[in-house]
Amino acid sequence: MGGATSADYAWFIEEYEKESDLIGVTFARGLSPGEALRRIGATPGDISREWAIGAYAADGGAVLVDYHCYEPPHALSQGTETARLVTGITIDEDFAYSVDGVVVTRFEPFFPVDRQGSDPDHLLAHMRDLGMPLGGEEFRDARTPTLLAVALAARATGVSFTPAHYAVPPIVGSTDCPD
Protein backbone atom coordinates (compact mmCIF):
# COMPACT_ATOMS: atom_id res chain seq x y z
CA MET A 1 0.00 0.00 0.00
CA GLY A 2 1.52 3.31 -1.02
CA GLY A 3 0.82 6.87 -0.09
CA ALA A 4 1.91 9.62 2.23
CA THR A 5 4.46 8.89 4.94
CA SER A 6 5.33 10.65 8.16
CA ALA A 7 8.54 11.94 6.52
CA ASP A 8 6.39 13.71 3.90
CA TYR A 9 4.91 15.96 6.60
CA ALA A 10 7.89 16.64 8.91
CA TRP A 11 8.21 20.08 7.29
CA PHE A 12 4.61 20.91 8.25
CA ILE A 13 5.10 20.00 11.90
CA GLU A 14 8.26 22.13 12.02
CA GLU A 15 6.37 25.09 10.50
CA TYR A 16 3.43 24.96 12.89
CA GLU A 17 5.73 24.60 15.91
CA LYS A 18 7.22 27.99 14.95
CA GLU A 19 3.76 29.60 15.22
CA SER A 20 2.01 27.93 18.14
CA ASP A 21 2.06 25.12 20.68
CA LEU A 22 -1.26 23.85 19.32
CA ILE A 23 -2.84 23.46 15.92
CA GLY A 24 -5.88 22.11 14.16
CA VAL A 25 -5.37 20.88 10.60
CA THR A 26 -8.16 19.52 8.42
CA PHE A 27 -7.77 17.80 5.05
CA ALA A 28 -10.94 18.08 2.93
CA ARG A 29 -11.26 16.05 -0.26
CA GLY A 30 -12.50 17.74 -3.41
CA LEU A 31 -13.21 21.14 -1.89
CA SER A 32 -11.70 24.47 -2.85
CA PRO A 33 -10.38 26.63 -0.01
CA GLY A 34 -13.28 29.07 -0.45
CA GLU A 35 -15.91 26.31 -0.42
CA ALA A 36 -14.34 24.75 2.68
CA LEU A 37 -14.51 28.10 4.49
CA ARG A 38 -18.11 28.67 3.45
CA ARG A 39 -19.11 25.20 4.70
CA ILE A 40 -17.88 26.03 8.19
CA GLY A 41 -19.63 29.40 8.17
CA ALA A 42 -16.56 31.52 7.50
CA THR A 43 -16.58 34.41 5.07
CA PRO A 44 -13.40 34.40 2.98
CA GLY A 45 -11.44 37.56 3.73
CA ASP A 46 -13.30 38.37 6.96
CA ILE A 47 -11.11 37.85 10.04
CA SER A 48 -13.26 39.83 12.48
CA ARG A 49 -14.89 36.86 14.20
CA GLU A 50 -13.82 34.51 16.98
CA TRP A 51 -12.28 31.54 15.10
CA ALA A 52 -9.67 32.35 12.43
CA ILE A 53 -8.86 29.77 9.75
CA GLY A 54 -6.39 29.67 6.88
CA ALA A 55 -7.48 27.58 3.89
CA TYR A 56 -4.86 26.30 1.47
CA ALA A 57 -5.33 24.79 -1.97
CA ALA A 58 -3.80 21.30 -2.11
CA ASP A 59 -3.72 18.46 -4.60
CA GLY A 60 -7.10 16.75 -4.32
CA GLY A 61 -8.78 19.34 -2.11
CA ALA A 62 -8.13 21.90 0.60
CA VAL A 63 -6.27 22.00 3.90
CA LEU A 64 -7.58 24.18 6.73
CA VAL A 65 -5.24 25.34 9.49
CA ASP A 66 -6.33 26.99 12.72
CA TYR A 67 -4.78 27.67 16.11
CA HIS A 68 -7.94 27.52 18.22
CA CYS A 69 -8.73 23.87 17.57
CA TYR A 70 -12.51 23.89 17.53
CA GLU A 71 -14.09 21.01 15.67
CA PRO A 72 -15.54 22.18 12.35
CA PRO A 73 -19.26 21.66 11.74
CA HIS A 74 -20.28 18.34 10.23
CA ALA A 75 -21.29 20.26 7.10
CA LEU A 76 -17.62 20.35 6.09
CA SER A 77 -17.65 16.63 5.28
CA GLN A 78 -21.13 16.56 3.66
CA GLY A 79 -20.75 14.78 0.33
CA THR A 80 -17.02 14.27 0.85
CA GLU A 81 -14.36 13.13 3.32
CA THR A 82 -12.38 15.07 5.90
CA ALA A 83 -9.64 14.15 8.32
CA ARG A 84 -8.78 16.45 11.22
CA LEU A 85 -5.87 16.41 13.61
CA VAL A 86 -5.77 18.57 16.71
CA THR A 87 -2.41 18.53 18.42
CA GLY A 88 -0.41 20.52 20.93
CA ILE A 89 1.21 20.46 24.30
CA THR A 90 -1.67 22.18 26.09
CA ILE A 91 -4.61 20.09 24.83
CA ASP A 92 -5.73 16.53 24.34
CA GLU A 93 -4.82 15.37 20.87
CA ASP A 94 -7.49 14.05 18.54
CA PHE A 95 -7.73 12.53 15.05
CA ALA A 96 -11.13 12.28 13.37
CA TYR A 97 -11.96 10.96 9.92
CA SER A 98 -15.47 11.86 8.72
CA VAL A 99 -17.52 10.97 5.67
CA ASP A 100 -20.76 12.72 4.73
CA GLY A 101 -21.15 14.31 8.16
CA VAL A 102 -20.47 11.12 10.16
CA VAL A 103 -17.34 10.46 12.23
CA VAL A 104 -16.13 7.13 10.90
CA THR A 105 -12.90 6.75 12.89
CA ARG A 106 -11.68 8.78 15.87
CA PHE A 107 -8.72 8.23 18.19
CA GLU A 108 -6.04 9.97 20.20
CA PRO A 109 -2.81 9.87 18.15
CA PHE A 110 -0.76 8.60 21.10
CA PHE A 111 -3.22 5.72 21.57
CA PRO A 112 -4.31 4.55 18.10
CA VAL A 113 -5.36 1.19 19.50
CA ASP A 114 -8.36 2.85 21.20
CA ARG A 115 -10.59 3.90 18.27
CA GLN A 116 -14.23 4.96 18.15
CA GLY A 117 -16.67 5.98 15.42
CA SER A 118 -19.19 4.37 13.11
CA ASP A 119 -16.44 2.13 11.64
CA PRO A 120 -13.40 2.35 13.96
CA ASP A 121 -11.30 -0.01 11.83
CA HIS A 122 -11.99 1.74 8.52
CA LEU A 123 -8.44 3.15 8.31
CA LEU A 124 -6.72 0.11 9.84
CA ALA A 125 -4.86 -0.90 6.65
CA HIS A 126 -3.36 2.59 6.32
CA MET A 127 -2.54 2.68 10.04
CA ARG A 128 -0.69 -0.63 9.79
CA ASP A 129 1.15 0.43 6.66
CA LEU A 130 2.26 3.65 8.37
CA GLY A 131 3.57 1.63 11.32
CA MET A 132 1.22 2.94 13.98
CA PRO A 133 1.50 0.90 17.19
CA LEU A 134 -1.80 -0.94 17.21
CA GLY A 135 -0.86 -3.43 19.90
CA GLY A 136 -0.62 -0.90 22.69
CA GLU A 137 3.16 -0.39 22.45
CA GLU A 138 4.50 3.11 23.09
CA PHE A 139 6.03 5.56 20.65
CA ARG A 140 9.77 6.15 20.95
CA ASP A 141 9.62 9.77 19.80
CA ALA A 142 7.01 12.26 21.03
CA ARG A 143 6.61 13.80 17.54
CA THR A 144 5.93 10.48 15.84
CA PRO A 145 2.18 10.24 16.64
CA THR A 146 1.58 13.69 15.14
CA LEU A 147 3.60 12.94 12.02
CA LEU A 148 1.80 9.65 11.50
CA ALA A 149 -1.61 11.25 12.05
CA VAL A 150 -0.96 13.94 9.43
CA ALA A 151 0.18 11.28 6.96
CA LEU A 152 -2.94 9.27 7.78
CA ALA A 153 -5.12 12.34 7.12
CA ALA A 154 -3.51 12.72 3.69
CA ARG A 155 -3.96 9.03 2.87
CA ALA A 156 -7.54 8.85 4.13
CA THR A 157 -8.70 11.83 2.10
CA GLY A 158 -6.39 11.56 -0.90
CA VAL A 159 -5.35 15.20 -0.35
CA SER A 160 -1.64 15.97 -0.72
CA PHE A 161 -0.28 19.08 1.00
CA THR A 162 3.28 20.10 0.14
CA PRO A 163 5.66 22.93 1.05
CA ALA A 164 4.79 24.51 -2.32
CA HIS A 165 1.09 24.62 -1.34
CA TYR A 166 1.98 26.08 2.06
CA ALA A 167 4.16 28.77 0.43
CA VAL A 168 1.11 30.24 -1.31
CA PRO A 169 -0.75 32.55 1.09
CA PRO A 170 -3.98 30.94 2.28
CA ILE A 171 -7.46 32.28 1.89
CA VAL A 172 -8.30 33.42 5.39
CA GLY A 173 -11.64 33.61 7.07
CA SER A 174 -13.24 33.53 10.47
CA THR A 175 -16.42 32.38 12.07
CA ASP A 176 -17.95 32.13 15.49
CA CYS A 177 -16.90 29.05 17.44
CA PRO A 178 -18.96 26.00 16.53
CA ASP A 179 -21.21 24.59 19.23
Side-chain angles (χ1 to χ4, degrees):
M1 177 178 295
T5 67
S6 59
D8 294 335
Y9 288 94
W11 67 269
F12 179 71
I13 302 306
E14 289 172 11
E15 285 298 317
Y16 100 73
E17 286 177 341
K18 292 177 189 175
E19 301 294 323
S20 178
D21 65 348
L22 60 103
I23 190 171
V25 59
T26 305
F27 287 62
R29 180 186 295 220
L31 299 181
S32 70
E35 174 62 16
L37 288 175
R38 282 187 284 283
R39 284 184 179 212
I40 63 171
T43 302
D46 173 11
I47 56 170
S48 66
R49 293 160 72 190
E50 194 172 6
W51 182 32
I53 307 106
Y56 294 86
D59 292 339
V63 173
L64 305 177
V65 177
D66 68 89
Y67 297 100
H68 290 102
C69 302
Y70 296 102
E71 186 165 340
H74 293 293
L76 184 59
S77 69
Q78 286 299 121
T80 191
E81 301 170 62
T82 63
R84 178 160 175 82
L85 171 66
V86 174
T87 185
I89 60 172
T90 60
I91 58 172
D92 290 334
E93 298 191 341
D94 184 57
F95 176 91
Y97 169 71
S98 299
V99 177
D100 206 18
V102 175
V103 176
V104 176
T105 304
R106 171 175 256 145
F107 61 91
E108 187 176 334
F110 275 91
F111 305 102
V113 68
D114 185 20
R115 297 177 301 282
Q116 299 88 38
S118 65
D119 185 2
D121 293 337
H122 184 79
L123 300 176
L124 201 53
H126 288 301
M127 295 170 80
R128 283 188 180 119
D129 191 51
L130 284 165
M132 289 184 157
L134 300 170
E137 57 275 19
E138 292 188 19
F139 288 96
R140 292 185 204 127
D141 179 349
R143 290 179 70 200
T144 301
T146 302
L147 289 168
L148 290 171
V150 174
L152 181 62
R155 283 184 179 208
T157 61
V159 175
S160 176
F161 189 50
T162 67
H165 295 118
Y166 188 74
V168 176
I171 296 174
V172 295
S174 65
T175 187
D176 294 322
C177 296
D179 294 333

